[in-house]
Amino acid sequence: MPKIFNNIEIPIDQDLEEKLQWLMPEHGPYRILRQSVDARRAHSPHFVYSVEVAAKGENLELPQFDLEKIKTPGVKPLIVGTGPAGLFAALRFVERGVPCVLFERGSDSGERIKGINQYWRYGKLDPRNNVCYGEGGAGLYSDGKLITRIKSPHIPYVMNRLVQFGAPEEIQWLSNPHVGSDRIRRVIPKMREFLKANGCEIHFNTQVTEILTDGKQVTGVRTEHGTEFKSPHVVLATGHSAEDMINHLHKIGVHLDGKSFAMGLRVEHSQAAVNKIQYRQFSEHPKLGAANYKLVHHDDKTGIGVYSFCMCPGGYVLSSGTEADSIVCNGMSNYKRNSPYANAAIVVSIDHEKNFGDDVFGGMKFRRELETKMYQAVLAAGGTKELPAQNLMDFLYGEKKDQGPRALRPGSSPSGAINIRIDKILPSHMTKRIREGFENFQRSMKGFITEEAQVYGIESRTSCPIRVTRDSETLQSISHKGLYPAGEGAGYAGGITSAACDGIRIAEQIISQIQ
């Protein structure tokens, strides 16, 4: 009978195999269930493992995800959007024997990168193919992070299938799993080909412009080309930036609610500096790799939180807007995390009710206003495509008297950067809270506040500020039967893994109705 050993501590200069030989001298095969790094200051950094070990002569029974196929009627479910929610809904459908139709306003991932490169290099935005739109969704350019706080039985399935399509095997056990933006761009095409070969009809460069209804029953969709597709099941997985679809839903009377969200900026340090803070004298040890961090500051009096989000070790700061007259920033890392820079969003929570009251679209309008102001500031400073940036010390304490702004450091953004007073563009209450957050973070990470760091604006697409409200049991819109809001854009996920799990839940719910 296999044994499970939890919380095995391994010094960075020791191998797991040596420890297992001591714990269970006569052991057979083993598999890692979880791996993390403990770098707290009370001791030297070490690895922590949970491992399942078989006795000598035994085999391990690996998890199986064989799914039962069902007999289906002729009507195919329709899925709008090829982010993780849409792709994993489609995957679940075809693995259960249910043909489906998938729509994406942008191109496949190979064509998509061409549009993104044009934007980064020349500032020429392709409204269909950018960091938020196109096959793979926004997660394709955010480090391929698979960290999630949700507890879902579908998580092992998601990891298993990603590995089958080419993701690194260790995502199944690392505590902070990531595929890398370079690797996930190889995973998605394999997934696409599997879907097409197993009954999924995919339409790229085909924006769904209208949800068709008969009273309060969804009956299908109409595309930009005027083609109608009929189905009583429409999965809406358009992502956190599809304002045009949100506006359409409002127009046809779909119930929407304003949702609290977070906005702020992105801070960039050298990766060497972060390694030094986190790993101390062990910062150059080859086994430890690029260090990360997670920081939170909560004001108990106001209930406002400031926290790090989407931390990208060895990463890049990206320009990721979806409109030609606005600027948005985001971060990503490749698999090896070998950029000399580390970045993370530092965002402040924005309570919808306190800030916008009954205005459902208040958060979206606020987001758009700040994105436009950032773009206008870049133009006013003589820029075109650059991201607005500011030395961290200037953001926190203001410019040196009679000396002007501190110079920007070389950075990771492929779009470049231009010196802007971000502290003046953000509303004063946001600037104040973010400054408080930095001061708090400095206490737990000595050296976090430094003249060698700089901030970029604006980090505004952490989540959608509107929820397409659905029933907790049927997962359908509370106003329109047959409409299944899914993933981040609907307000029910926050990252690749949670969005993928949400798509699977919805697919299973539709399958139960079909049966």
Side-chain angles (χ1 to χ4, degrees):
M1 188 75 176
K3 290 184 178 180
I4 293 179
F5 295 93
N6 290 315
N7 299 319
I8 304 174
E9 297 185 0
I10 309 288
I12 54 177
D13 291 320
Q14 185 179 341
D15 291 327
L16 175 61
E17 183 69 43
E18 295 177 36
K19 188 76 169 183
L20 290 179
Q21 193 63 36
W22 179 79
L23 289 169
M24 193 173 174
E26 296 292 320
H27 73 78
Y30 65 88
R31 68 185 180 104
I32 300 170
L33 303 177
R34 186 172 177 81
Q35 176 190 336
S36 61
V37 176
D38 186 342
R40 288 174 293 182
R41 293 184 176 274
H43 45 64
S44 60
H46 58 269
F47 295 104
V48 181
Y49 289 93
S50 291
V51 185
E52 182 181 22
V53 187
K56 190 173 183 179
E58 292 183 344
N59 291 315
L60 291 175
E61 291 186 10
L62 299 178
Q64 300 297 317
F65 299 97
D66 296 327
L67 302 173
E68 179 187 356
K69 292 186 180 294
I70 68 167
K71 294 181 180 180
T72 62
V75 178
K76 302 175 181 179
L78 309 178
I79 306 166
V80 186
T82 61
L87 286 174
F88 272 89
L91 181 63
R92 195 60 160 221
F93 278 134
V94 301
E95 290 197 332
R96 294 292 305 275
V98 180
C100 57
V101 185
L102 189 56
F103 302 92
E104 170 55 53
R105 73 169 73 198
S107 304
D108 64 52
S109 56
E111 287 298 312
R112 180 185 178 191
I113 187 60
K114 298 177 184 177
I116 291 170
N117 284 335
Q118 287 288 310
Y119 183 52
W120 288 343
R121 292 176 183 175
Y122 310 114
K124 183 180 178 182
L125 177 72
D126 183 339
R128 291 179 179 273
N129 294 302
N130 48 61
V131 175
C132 293
Y133 296 147
E135 184 184 31
L140 201 67
Y141 292 91
S142 63
D143 189 45
K145 286 182 182 64
L146 303 175
I147 305 164
T148 182
R149 291 176 292 178
I150 68 167
K151 305 295 183 184
S152 169
H154 300 306
I155 292 174
Y157 167 86
V158 171
M159 301 300 177
N160 177 273
R161 291 304 189 258
L162 287 172
V163 170
Q164 281 190 12
F165 293 122
E169 190 176 5
E170 67 264 22
I171 66 171
Q172 297 175 103
W173 63 74
L174 289 177
S175 61
N176 292 303
H178 89 118
V179 181
S181 291
D182 53 341
R183 288 264 189 118
I184 203 166
R185 291 199 291 270
R186 303 175 210 165
V187 170
I188 297 300
K190 293 179 182 177
M191 192 173 186
R192 177 212 315 148
E193 294 308 312
F194 179 87
L195 292 174
K196 289 167 65 176
N198 287 274
C200 180
E201 179 184 329
I202 304 179
H203 297 266
F204 288 113
N205 301 304
T206 303
Q207 183 176 352
V208 169
T209 54
E210 187 176 347
I211 304 297
L212 303 176
T213 61
D214 182 2
K216 296 296 184 178
Q217 170 68 55
V218 165
T219 59
V221 303
R222 180 179 291 119
T223 73
E224 61 182 312
H225 310 303
T227 308
E228 293 186 2
F229 294 79
K230 295 292 188 176
S231 175
H233 307 293
V234 175
V235 181
L236 192 67
T238 49
H240 57 42
S241 296
E243 293 185 20
D244 46 12
M245 177 53 72
I246 294 292
N247 289 328
H248 169 66
L249 296 177
H250 179 65
K251 181 179 178 182
I252 65 174
V254 172
H255 185 92
L256 307 173
D257 284 310
K259 183 175 74 67
S260 298
F261 61 112
M263 287 202 301
L265 42 78
R266 188 160 284 266
V267 64
E268 182 175 67
H269 295 80
S270 74
Q271 183 62 56
V274 175
N275 290 350
K276 189 72 175 176
I277 294 172
Q278 297 294 72
Y279 296 149
R280 306 174 299 285
Q281 69 267 34
F282 306 95
S283 62
E284 296 184 7
H285 197 287
K287 279 191 176 181
L288 290 174
N292 60 20
Y293 57 81
K294 183 179 180 181
L295 300 166
V296 179
H297 169 61
H298 187 267
D299 188 320
D300 292 331
K301 292 182 180 179
T302 64
I304 296 173
V306 179
Y307 56 93
S308 62
F309 174 82
C310 185
M311 196 273 154
C312 298
Y316 303 85
V317 179
L318 305 180
S319 185
S320 54
T322 54
E323 286 82 30
D325 62 347
S326 64
I327 279 182
V328 180
C329 71
N330 190 18
M332 63 157 263
S333 301
N334 287 326
Y335 174 68
K336 291 185 177 180
R337 290 176 164 168
N338 52 5
S339 159
Y341 303 99
N343 68 77
I346 305 295
V347 294
V348 57
S349 60
I350 298 172
D351 184 278
H352 178 86
E353 187 175 346
K354 290 180 181 177
N355 288 278
F356 311 114
D358 295 330
D359 185 358
V360 172
F361 285 82
M364 191 165 282
K365 289 185 285 190
F366 181 56
R367 180 176 83 174
R368 188 83 170 86
E369 175 189 348
L370 290 182
E371 292 171 358
T372 303
K373 283 183 176 180
M374 290 288 173
Y375 176 72
Q376 291 170 343
V378 169
L379 294 184
T384 54
K385 63 180 177 59
E386 298 85 356
L387 283 175
Q390 186 178 20
N391 185 279
L392 177 58
M393 302 297 278
D394 282 354
F395 178 84
L396 294 176
Y397 309 119
E399 298 175 357
K400 292 181 179 179
K401 192 174 182 180
D402 301 326
Q403 294 185 32
R406 294 172 174 85
L408 295 177
R409 306 288 175 176
S412 65
S413 174
S415 302
I418 190 168
N419 216 327
I420 299 292
R421 289 296 302 270
I422 294 175
D423 61 319
K424 298 295 186 183
I425 298 175
L426 291 179
S428 58
H429 65 91
M430 284 183 66
T431 297
K432 178 176 181 289
R433 296 299 178 189
I434 293 172
R435 284 172 172 168
E436 290 173 357
F438 271 106
E439 295 288 353
N440 181 272
F441 301 156
Q442 169 68 13
R443 288 194 282 274
S444 58
M445 284 185 68
K446 305 295 184 186
F448 195 71
I449 292 179
T450 170
E451 197 168 306
E452 303 299 313
Q454 57 199 29
V455 295
Y456 297 81
I458 181 172
E459 183 82 21
S460 54
R461 304 290 178 94
T462 59
S463 67
C464 185
I466 288 178
R467 175 174 284 116
V468 187
T469 313
R470 72 190 188 194
D471 182 86
S472 60
E473 293 186 5
T474 68
L475 307 184
Q476 298 177 65
S477 161
I478 62 173
S479 62
H480 286 67
K481 188 177 180 181
L483 180 65
Y484 296 82
E488 281 200 38
Y492 290 96
I496 293 173
T497 303
S498 60
C501 290
D502 199 50
I504 294 165
R505 281 187 70 204
I506 287 173
E508 286 292 347
Q509 181 65 26
I510 293 172
I511 289 167
S512 70
Q513 293 188 38
I514 291 173
Q515 283 180 305

